[in-house]
Amino acid sequence: MSLTNEQRDLTLHRLVDAYQTELKRLCFICLKDRMLAEDAVQETFMKVYRKMDALRPEMNEKAWLYKIAVNCCRDMRRS
């Protein structure tokens, strides 16, 4: 099922409000740099927005976000 743009926007705002601080903390632990951590969180939410149709109600959204954030941190460390 595909989400409308309005549904995507509302879901993204809810996820940002709920998890932004936790994701910044996680990314800072991974990257040891505040600016890189903030960039990683932004990249995480951009990926979340693009892949939002993959999030299903039965999935744990926090675990999904953390996995995306950790992968963003890994990508940033490699480059």
Side-chain angles (χ1 to χ4, degrees):
M1 181 180 80
S2 187
L3 298 173
T4 66
N5 286 340
E6 184 178 351
Q7 290 171 320
R8 283 177 178 274
D9 292 345
L10 290 173
T11 302
L12 182 65
H13 286 292
R14 182 182 61 76
L15 292 173
V16 169
D17 288 343
Y19 298 108
Q20 183 175 24
T21 302
E22 292 178 49
L23 289 176
K24 279 184 189 177
R25 195 172 299 125
L26 173 69
C27 291
F28 180 76
I29 289 169
C30 292
L31 297 169
K32 309 287 193 254
D33 182 288
R34 179 178 287 137
M35 296 301 288
L36 286 177
E38 289 177 5
D39 289 346
V41 171
Q42 283 185 340
E43 181 66 26
T44 297
F45 283 119
M46 288 190 320
K47 287 182 179 184
V48 164
Y49 189 80
R50 289 191 301 262
K51 302 287 186 177
M52 200 168 293
D53 289 334
L55 179 61
R56 300 284 178 236
E58 67 275 2
M59 293 173 65
N60 182 333
E61 68 186 17
K62 183 176 180 178
W64 186 64
L65 287 168
Y66 271 50
K67 183 175 182 178
I68 294 170
V70 167
N71 287 336
C72 284
C73 291
R74 286 181 184 151
D75 292 344
M76 292 179 90
R77 281 193 311 230
R78 283 188 210 134
S79 61

